[in-house]
Amino acid sequence: MPLSPPLRVVQWATGAVGRYSLRSLITRPEFELAGVLVYDPAKAGKDAGEIVGLPETGVACTDEVERILALEADCVLHMPLPASSLGGDHTVDVETICALLASGKNVITTTGFVYPPCHGPGVVERLEAACRAGGTSLHGTGINPGFMSDLLPLALTGLSSRIDHIYVRECSDFRGHPSRQTVTGLMGFTLSAKDYSTAVRPFRAFQRALFAESVQLVAATLGVALDEVEESDEFELATEEFEIAAGVVRPDTVCASHWTFSGLVRGRPFMTVECVYKADATRVRRWSEPGFSIHIDGVPQMTLSVDEVSDGLAGAASHAVNTIAAVCAAPPGIRTALDLPLTTGRGTVRLA
């Protein structure tokens, strides 16, 4: 049987997550790199291999969206910082994704969209219309949301005879995260309490929308109609100076944040997602230790812990890369994790 030709894939954005996926697209034989969209003008014109420390690929990076839209490609890995998290309009992401879908390219995005119905029928119709025009599919993925707070708890509920409450906890350590735009610009670490309260507003709206998708996906799958998704957050100030990859955290600046998202039914929580982000987990003792935990209160009681994901950025990128073949083979339309076969690490095993 002849081998299938490699899937032609575009890498959209080469930030902290995008560089991981770009490396996979270059090194894995089942993919052919079709193009690279960059936001930094200094990267435009450079060979894609140079961006990630690999030999030349013959594919030059571009900052011109029109060039990407004109390419013949099977899929786009869409991995920019979400516009809404930077104070922009969420519709910017929708417009970009719709343009890519309508141009005949399947889209896998890490900017949310794990459950687009959460954004209302208008957004769903726009996305579905673009999918119909291009004969393409859209899939939102990541590690959390996109796995830990939706797909994994749903898999566990298959063992349940009664479910009373679903609880998911994440604690992430950002000491090695290289992007100051993310660590300070989005999350507000290293800022004073006053500056944090102002700067984090766009990120708060983004977080609320992002985790509402995750909670709504779980609820809809289990046949639960939520009344609302409630959000609360708080932060911690550093008591000493310390350095992280993205900069210096000084005393009395924000060094951690704690977020809670609860899907409510008649005032009672059906599902709760707790997220703790720390500039350096070895310096911030408050709240939980790094890792993930899922607890299902019901019959039977279940608790699952993932004590370490050494590099969440690599995990998010790999989860997207590993769905490419399934998304390209799927019928046109919005495709959540439940519409696709189980994503595995096929093609990544190294025994030598």
Side-chain angles (χ1 to χ4, degrees):
M1 180 180 295
L3 294 175
S4 301
L7 293 167
R8 286 176 52 80
V9 185
V10 170
Q11 177 61 49
W12 185 290
T14 57
V17 177
R19 286 194 298 274
Y20 278 110
S21 58
L22 177 57
R23 179 177 286 270
S24 292
L25 296 181
I26 293 172
T27 57
R28 288 173 59 171
E30 64 266 43
F31 306 121
E32 177 186 347
L33 184 64
V36 180
L37 189 284
V38 294
Y39 286 88
D40 183 354
K43 293 180 181 179
K46 288 186 176 181
D47 188 273
E50 183 182 351
I51 300 294
V52 290
L54 292 175
E56 288 194 0
T57 63
V59 177
C61 300
T62 181
D63 57 0
E64 298 180 30
V65 172
E66 294 75 14
R67 289 193 176 188
I68 297 297
L69 291 173
L71 286 173
E72 291 292 331
D74 297 293
C75 187
V76 176
L77 290 181
H78 179 257
M79 297 179 171
L81 290 174
S84 54
S85 69
L86 297 171
D89 189 345
H90 176 71
T91 58
V92 172
D93 290 322
V94 176
E95 289 171 3
T96 299
I97 289 170
C98 284
L100 291 168
L101 291 167
S103 73
K105 303 170 186 64
N106 297 289
V107 174
I108 298 169
T109 183
T110 55
T111 64
F113 301 95
V114 297
Y115 188 62
C118 189
H119 299 296
V123 170
V124 168
E125 180 48 40
R126 287 184 63 189
L127 293 170
E128 289 283 7
C131 289
R132 290 192 296 270
T136 51
S137 296
L138 168 66
H139 177 60
T141 188
I143 186 168
N144 191 43
F147 187 75
M148 294 292 186
S149 59
D150 32 59
L151 188 57
L152 199 51
L154 278 172
L156 286 178
T157 66
L159 303 178
S160 299
S161 63
R162 191 188 79 216
I163 300 169
D164 297 323
H165 181 246
I166 299 172
Y167 167 81
V168 178
R169 175 190 60 80
E170 170 194 356
C171 179
S172 294
D173 188 343
F174 281 78
R175 62 181 158 171
H177 198 300
S179 172
R180 185 165 179 81
Q181 187 178 20
T182 297
V183 175
T184 298
L186 258 65
M187 309 195 70
F189 294 164
T190 77
L191 298 180
S192 68
K194 180 180 179 181
D195 290 343
Y196 174 88
S197 298
T198 301
V200 81
R201 286 173 187 164
F203 185 58
R204 181 178 290 117
F206 166 66
Q207 285 280 87
R208 185 184 297 114
L210 190 67
F211 283 97
E213 284 193 81
S214 210
V215 172
Q216 292 278 12
L217 172 60
V218 173
T221 304
L222 297 177
V224 175
L226 297 178
D227 296 323
E228 62 176 319
V229 177
E230 186 178 71
E231 175 268 328
S232 64
D233 62 273
E234 56 183 320
F235 59 85
E236 181 81 350
L237 297 178
T239 58
E240 60 181 341
E241 182 173 307
F242 57 90
E243 188 170 354
I244 57 177
V248 177
V249 180
R250 293 184 169 82
D252 296 320
T253 64
V254 176
C255 64
S257 58
H258 175 270
W259 304 74
T260 303
F261 308 91
S262 295
L264 303 180
V265 179
R266 294 186 297 277
R268 291 186 55 189
F270 152 73
M271 180 175 180
T272 302
V273 179
E274 179 185 33
C275 297
V276 175
Y277 305 127
K278 299 184 179 184
D280 183 342
T282 66
R283 305 276 189 160
V284 182
R285 299 301 181 186
R286 189 183 179 190
W287 299 313
S288 52
E289 293 298 312
F292 295 88
S293 179
I294 300 169
H295 178 75
I296 298 179
D297 187 20
V299 180
Q301 302 272 7
M302 288 178 275
T303 299
L304 173 68
S305 295
V306 180
D307 294 329
E308 181 183 13
V309 176
S310 65
D311 193 330
L313 303 176
S318 297
H319 199 207
V321 171
N322 291 334
T323 64
I324 291 173
V327 172
C328 289
I334 294 169
R335 297 288 165 246
T336 73
L338 301 181
D339 299 313
L340 300 175
L342 178 66
T343 299
T344 69
R346 182 181 177 89
T348 67
V349 178
R350 302 291 182 267
L351 299 178

